[in-house]
Amino acid sequence: MDKLFNSMMDGEKWFQGYFDDGASFDVTARKVHLWDMPALLLYINGLVDGATLTTLLTEMQGNNEDQMEGDGAERFLSFFPYHAVTPVTDESELLKSILSGQAGFITPEGYVFLIDVRSYPGRQPEEPDNEKVIRGSRDGFTENILTNTALIRRRIRTPDLRFEMHQTTVKGKTDVVIAFMEGAASKDHLKYIRTRLNEIKHDGLTMTDKSLEEWLFKQGFHPMPFVRFTERPDICAAHLLEGHIAIIVDTSPSVILVPITLFYHLQHAEEYRQAPLIGTAVRLIRFTGTFLSLVLLPFWYLLATKQQYLPQLLYYIGPDKIGEVPLLAQLLIADGGIEVLRMAAIHTPTPMSTAMGLVAAIVIGQVAIDVGLFSPEVVLYVAISAILTFAIPSYELSITTKIFRICILLTTAIFGATGFFISIGILFYYLCALRPMGIPYLWPAVPFFPKAMLRVIVRFPMTADAPRPYITESPNRNRIS
């Protein structure tokens, strides 16, 4: 083994060159004794497990010289009472490891060793608020990347499960793990992700997973989400077994799943916690609700303003009296108002959020109707559209649906029925043109795969033979061992 420094003093000067002595209170360099040998201990206070480090130092205070073998590096390693100890011969690797939470020892001869005693601050696994289920596990990902990999490993106990560590950005050195099943994940997709990770030359990913999504897929101003985010380990494990790839970013409780299509954003774990027939019914209701959340408000506006299109059975559609405020303005104000209320509920302290919601929904809504700002039908249909939007499992897709709904509404107001159908056609064409990672975004609807589309609509029993999805480009699509 080669020495990294000429002496312990040279190692101390190197460390102080990066961290001025006393400039950062959490940067620690202490001279300790390991048995009869002096050593320099380097670590970041707050990122190491203090109890474990203290126990190790305590155990190495006795005189065990007669039991130690060799000299120099071999002598150090032969009796070190810890399992995770590795020698280091590169300065950049040493600096990176210390900043990641490992502790380093420099011997008098200049040999350097790292011990993994990382203990990142964070919360315990708990059920994510935006992916709750009636039945099922209550654990969820946390901001600790080691905890997240352990939650997945607990569900997939096979050596084929790989966790490939990468570090991105120049200064942030963000830890990113690519998780995949060997033999199930596409080698081309893995190569694509590795190449994009290596191309990131930014100083840091402060927004972690979302920033990484934009770097990986060059999202630009596309409103559609190109990846699926999940905070549930069971969902992540299920996708890995299907041949998908998971990207875990340190400090983020959300895991990125690729490749995906539009229909993956409409899946929910609850469908697989119920009987196949019930799961199918829930899925169809969700699909219907998603479509109505997009077109219900513009379609009602079209019928309310173009009474000649109404059949006799639907004569009641449309307000009897529009009032002083134009109908389009009422819809835009009401729809935007609900979005403001949603943001207010998120930023309001939990004990006050319920009261704020009741005041906004009952008092403000009723007063707006009484003073003539809104007609009752406008409030009704805007509220129905909002409820349908909240039924979309993916938060990113729900926000995108609202934007598209406003666009269709404005086009309908300008061009009438022609604008309504043309805007839907343009939206459909736009979705067909999207191909993140070379995967058609509307697969299996476009291009049409009958069997795969049937599995999208129907929740088949788990005992049914289900090959891995075609879009994963898995080298082995057979899931039955």
Side-chain angles (χ1 to χ4, degrees):
M1 173 183 170
D2 297 331
K3 295 192 296 184
L4 181 56
F5 302 107
N6 293 326
S7 65
M8 185 173 67
M9 185 175 296
D10 287 342
E12 185 176 10
K13 291 180 179 179
W14 168 86
F15 189 72
Q16 291 178 351
Y18 282 99
F19 307 99
D20 295 336
D21 190 16
S24 297
F25 77 93
D26 61 334
V27 178
T28 305
R30 292 190 58 187
K31 292 181 179 179
V32 297
H33 273 79
L34 310 180
W35 307 291
D36 62 335
M37 179 178 63
L40 181 66
L41 173 61
L42 310 174
Y43 64 93
I44 303 296
N45 189 18
L47 297 182
V48 299
D49 187 344
T52 301
L53 190 58
T54 302
T55 302
L56 283 174
L57 294 176
T58 302
E59 292 181 0
M60 290 184 287
Q61 296 307 304
N63 187 6
N64 296 310
E65 188 173 359
D66 56 335
Q67 304 179 36
M68 300 173 64
E69 303 174 354
D71 54 2
E74 294 180 359
R75 184 169 179 266
F76 185 91
L77 287 172
S78 65
F79 205 71
F80 197 89
Y82 196 62
H83 62 92
V85 53
T86 55
V88 182
T89 57
D90 183 75
E91 292 183 1
S92 61
E93 182 182 353
L94 174 61
L95 180 62
K96 180 176 61 177
S97 300
I98 292 175
L99 291 173
S100 298
Q102 299 188 57
F105 287 99
I106 303 179
T107 67
E109 297 88 354
Y111 294 101
V112 181
F113 303 88
L114 288 172
I115 60 172
D116 195 344
V117 287
R118 283 177 285 194
S119 179
Y120 295 150
R123 55 188 174 89
Q124 293 298 314
E126 57 189 24
E127 185 178 17
D129 290 333
N130 57 344
E131 292 181 284
K132 290 185 176 181
V133 293
I134 303 300
R135 295 176 58 247
S137 59
R138 304 296 176 183
D139 57 350
F141 290 126
T142 68
E143 290 75 14
N144 191 324
I145 196 171
L146 298 177
T147 301
N148 295 343
T149 56
L151 289 171
I152 300 173
R153 180 73 72 178
R154 183 182 179 187
R155 289 167 167 82
I156 306 178
R157 302 176 182 180
T158 173
D160 292 335
L161 177 59
R162 303 282 195 266
F163 291 117
E164 191 177 283
M165 177 66 78
H166 295 261
Q167 283 195 330
T168 61
T169 69
V170 178
K171 294 184 177 180
K173 302 294 184 183
T174 305
D175 288 332
V176 177
V177 167
I178 301 176
F180 61 95
M181 292 290 295
E182 183 67 30
S186 168
K187 295 187 181 298
D188 291 337
H189 291 167
L190 288 170
K191 181 180 179 181
Y192 172 89
I193 295 174
R194 291 168 184 150
T195 302
R196 287 299 178 90
L197 284 176
N198 294 331
E199 291 176 350
I200 299 177
K201 302 302 180 183
H202 202 253
D203 56 356
L205 299 177
T206 54
M207 295 295 106
T208 59
D209 50 3
K210 184 57 186 175
S211 301
L212 186 61
E213 177 194 2
E214 296 183 13
W215 278 102
L216 289 178
F217 299 98
K218 311 296 183 183
Q219 189 176 19
F221 287 96
H222 286 286
M224 297 301 298
F226 288 170
V227 303
R228 180 180 180 181
F229 294 99
T230 183
E231 296 183 36
R232 295 188 61 89
D234 51 359
I235 292 179
C236 181
H239 280 75
L240 289 174
L241 291 174
E242 287 185 350
H244 296 268
I245 301 170
I247 304 175
I248 310 171
V249 187
D250 194 24
T251 72
S252 172
S254 299
V255 169
I256 297 173
L257 298 174
V258 293
I260 56 94
T261 65
L262 174 66
F263 297 102
Y264 281 93
H265 291 286
L266 300 177
Q267 292 180 348
H268 195 271
E270 190 64 37
E271 300 166 4
Y272 295 91
R273 298 289 183 178
Q274 305 295 334
L277 180 61
I278 305 302
T280 302
V282 172
R283 183 177 294 182
L284 291 175
I285 292 173
R286 181 176 294 113
F287 285 180
T288 304
T290 302
F291 178 74
L292 290 178
S293 69
L294 178 68
V295 303
L296 178 62
L297 207 59
F299 188 65
W300 175 82
Y301 175 81
L302 175 64
L303 296 181
T305 54
K306 306 293 183 181
Q307 295 287 332
Q308 64 270 23
Y309 297 139
L310 282 175
Q312 188 63 29
L313 294 175
L314 301 178
Y315 68 92
Y316 54 86
I317 290 181
D320 297 330
K321 183 179 179 182
I322 296 180
E324 298 297 330
V325 181
L327 190 58
L328 177 62
Q330 292 185 37
L331 292 174
L332 294 176
I333 294 173
D335 203 18
I338 288 183
E339 187 63 20
V340 172
L341 292 177
R342 182 193 63 81
M343 291 188 289
I346 293 175
H347 302 311
T348 302
T350 303
M352 300 172 57
S353 60
T354 303
M356 187 276 298
L358 291 173
V359 170
I362 298 176
V363 177
I364 298 179
Q366 187 59 44
V367 170
I369 293 175
D370 292 340
V371 301
L373 179 60
F374 298 142
S375 65
E377 258 190 287
V378 168
V379 175
L380 172 65
Y381 284 98
V382 169
I384 292 176
S385 296
I387 293 173
L388 293 172
T389 304
F390 293 151
I392 300 176
S394 170
Y395 175 74
E396 293 78 19
L397 183 60
S398 67
I399 296 296
T400 304
T401 302
K402 294 177 184 179
I403 296 175
F404 286 144
R405 183 173 64 213
I406 295 298
C407 294
I408 296 175
L409 177 61
L410 293 175
T411 308
T412 304
I414 297 173
F415 300 105
T418 302
F420 175 80
F421 291 105
I422 288 181
S423 59
I424 293 179
I426 293 175
L427 175 59
F428 180 74
Y429 176 80
Y430 166 71
L431 296 177
C432 291
L434 290 179
R435 298 178 64 89
M437 291 185 68
I439 303 300
Y441 200 69
L442 285 185
W443 183 90
V446 178
F448 185 58
F449 281 59
K451 291 184 178 180
M453 192 65 199
L454 185 61
R455 292 193 175 276
V456 167
I457 298 174
V458 179
R459 204 288 252 181
F460 280 85
M462 298 300 294
T463 54
D465 181 19
R468 292 188 172 95
Y470 176 78
I471 61 167
T472 62
E473 298 181 5
S474 174
N476 180 17
R477 295 189 61 202
N478 185 17
R479 298 188 60 183
I480 298 179
S481 301

